[in-house]
Amino acid sequence: MADNFQEKIAKELSKQMVDSNPSFTKQMKFDLKTIIDFGRTPEEIINEIGLYLLFTR
């Protein structure tokens, strides 16, 4: 239960960081927050975000 709570807090903080970044477009923010929501592990989320940024910039 504690792990699930920590995961939820970490994901919410990550999404807030995405929202506060002025260099991301609305579409990028939506895409990145979706990656964060559906990621199962921190490593998976980091890898997916890295790939997304690599191919969208």
Side-chain angles (χ1 to χ4, degrees):
M1 178 117 177
D3 287 341
N4 192 25
F5 180 72
Q6 288 177 337
E7 177 184 334
K8 183 174 177 150
I9 295 296
K11 286 184 174 188
E12 288 304 314
L13 288 172
S14 297
K15 291 190 289 184
Q16 286 179 13
M17 289 171 44
V18 167
D19 271 336
S20 68
N21 189 324
S23 65
F24 292 151
T25 65
K26 285 184 183 183
Q27 182 63 50
M28 290 174 75
K29 288 178 182 184
F30 175 81
D31 293 343
L32 291 168
K33 289 190 288 184
T34 300
I35 291 169
I36 292 167
D37 279 336
F38 288 101
R40 286 178 241 137
T41 65
E43 293 83 7
E44 179 183 3
I45 293 169
I46 290 169
N47 287 336
E48 292 296 323
I49 287 174
L51 287 172
Y52 176 84
L53 293 175
L54 179 67
F55 289 110
T56 57
R57 294 212 165 201

